[in-house]
Amino acid sequence: EDKVVQSPLSLVVHEGDTVTLNCSYEVTNFRSLLWYKQEKKAPTFLFMLTSSGIEKKSGRLSSILDKKELFSILNITATQTGDSAIYLCAPSNDYKLSFGAGTTVTVRA
Amino acid sequence: GAVVSQHPSRVICKSGTSVKIECRSLDFQATTMFWYRQFPKQSLMLMATSNEGSKATYEQGVEKDKFLINHASLTLSTLTVTSAHPEDSSFYICSARDLQRLRTDTQYFGPGTRLTVL
């Protein structure tokens, strides 16, 4: 059975802080790992990672994948209140995504 | 680009009735759409995979006669919750993969439908 574990489950930070979110996985026929941000409704796509050790960046967000150790991290620097959301990690096997429970990030002004 | 819509966004119905939820890819074609269910403070649980022109593939434990899925075109999939009961109350989200981007596993999500069964 596929397993996806995200940590921490939740955290509260102040604006300007840096956060690091962790995702470990055990998925058969692994192909890629995706990160999503979920605010009130639908998850919005952040990153798709397929190769180990290559950091992907988008503004203040960055992410990296380690396929040997089976984990990924998502970093958010200089956090803003708009970063408050649930961040979901989803490894893919073939065509299906398996979602972790998510990390709830709350950024206080 | 890659916009997915769902309708309705919220529905309240009586126990025993059936509810249909539509999922549309607005600016791309999707051979594959997915239906998820999300309980409060829990993650997304895949219910079924919907392929255009063929029968849906259901995940273990999901009753296919209860949750009817139809994927009639490359831009539309529907989920019908038949004979709904209060325990079916949940947040239902669909997603779609872009036909033009077959090498990517990225799924684009709709805004979800909140179903409340009284």
Side-chain angles (χ1 to χ4, degrees):
Chain A
E1 187 180 325
D2 296 340
K3 287 183 184 177
V4 185
V5 178
Q6 290 188 246
S7 64
L9 288 179
S10 65
L11 71 162
V12 179
V13 298
H14 290 97
E15 274 191 316
D17 289 349
T18 294
V19 299
T20 298
L21 310 182
N22 304 293
C23 173
S24 65
Y25 63 91
E26 290 178 33
V27 171
T28 54
N29 300 321
F30 173 85
R31 283 204 339 181
S32 62
L33 187 139
L34 288 81
W35 284 95
Y36 286 86
K37 176 183 181 182
Q38 186 176 24
E39 295 174 85
K40 291 188 178 178
K41 290 188 175 178
T44 52
F45 172 74
L46 295 176
F47 297 109
M48 186 179 84
L49 305 161
T50 54
S51 301
S52 269
I54 300 175
E55 185 182 54
K56 286 209 171 181
K57 293 195 74 170
S58 176
R60 296 176 293 102
L61 277 67
S62 64
S63 185
I64 197 161
L65 174 67
D66 186 327
K67 286 163 66 171
K68 183 179 176 185
E69 300 298 327
L70 307 182
F71 78 88
S72 175
I73 60 172
L74 175 69
N75 281 316
I76 310 173
T77 59
T79 51
Q80 302 171 358
T81 54
D83 296 325
S84 296
I86 300 171
Y87 290 85
L88 298 167
C89 159
S92 165
N93 66 336
D94 295 331
Y95 60 90
K96 293 199 299 185
L97 299 180
S98 297
F99 281 87
T103 295
T104 301
V105 175
T106 303
V107 182
R108 297 232 165 103
Chain B
V3 178
V4 177
S5 70
Q6 264 184 258
H7 178 81
S9 58
R10 184 181 293 268
V11 58
I12 301 172
C13 68
K14 291 183 179 179
S15 188
T17 60
S18 293
V19 174
K20 181 186 281 189
I21 303 170
E22 289 188 350
C23 176
R24 293 182 186 271
S25 55
L26 297 185
D27 53 359
F28 66 98
Q29 292 183 321
T31 49
T32 306
M33 289 184 170
F34 303 85
W35 288 95
Y36 294 84
R37 186 172 177 176
Q38 187 175 33
F39 290 103
K41 298 190 178 182
Q42 293 189 30
S43 192
L44 283 77
M45 298 298 295
L46 179 64
M47 298 174 64
T49 303
S50 166
N51 292 297
E52 187 263 338
S54 64
K55 289 184 179 180
T57 302
Y58 290 81
E59 294 300 300
Q60 195 171 9
V62 178
E63 298 176 59
K64 56 184 176 183
D65 294 331
K66 173 79 173 170
F67 299 99
L68 299 178
I69 290 172
N70 184 275
H71 193 154
S73 75
L74 287 173
T75 59
L76 172 64
S77 176
T78 59
L79 168 69
T80 302
V81 183
T82 61
S83 187
H85 290 285
E87 57 266 30
D88 298 324
S89 298
S90 190
F91 192 54
Y92 293 87
I93 309 180
C94 72
S95 70
R97 286 180 67 197
D98 189 342
L99 176 63
Q100 299 299 321
R101 303 178 187 179
L102 289 177
R103 292 186 181 178
T104 178
D105 296 326
T106 305
Q107 295 179 18
Y108 300 97
F109 285 83
T113 297
R114 173 75 58 195
L115 171 63
T116 303
V117 185
L118 303 177

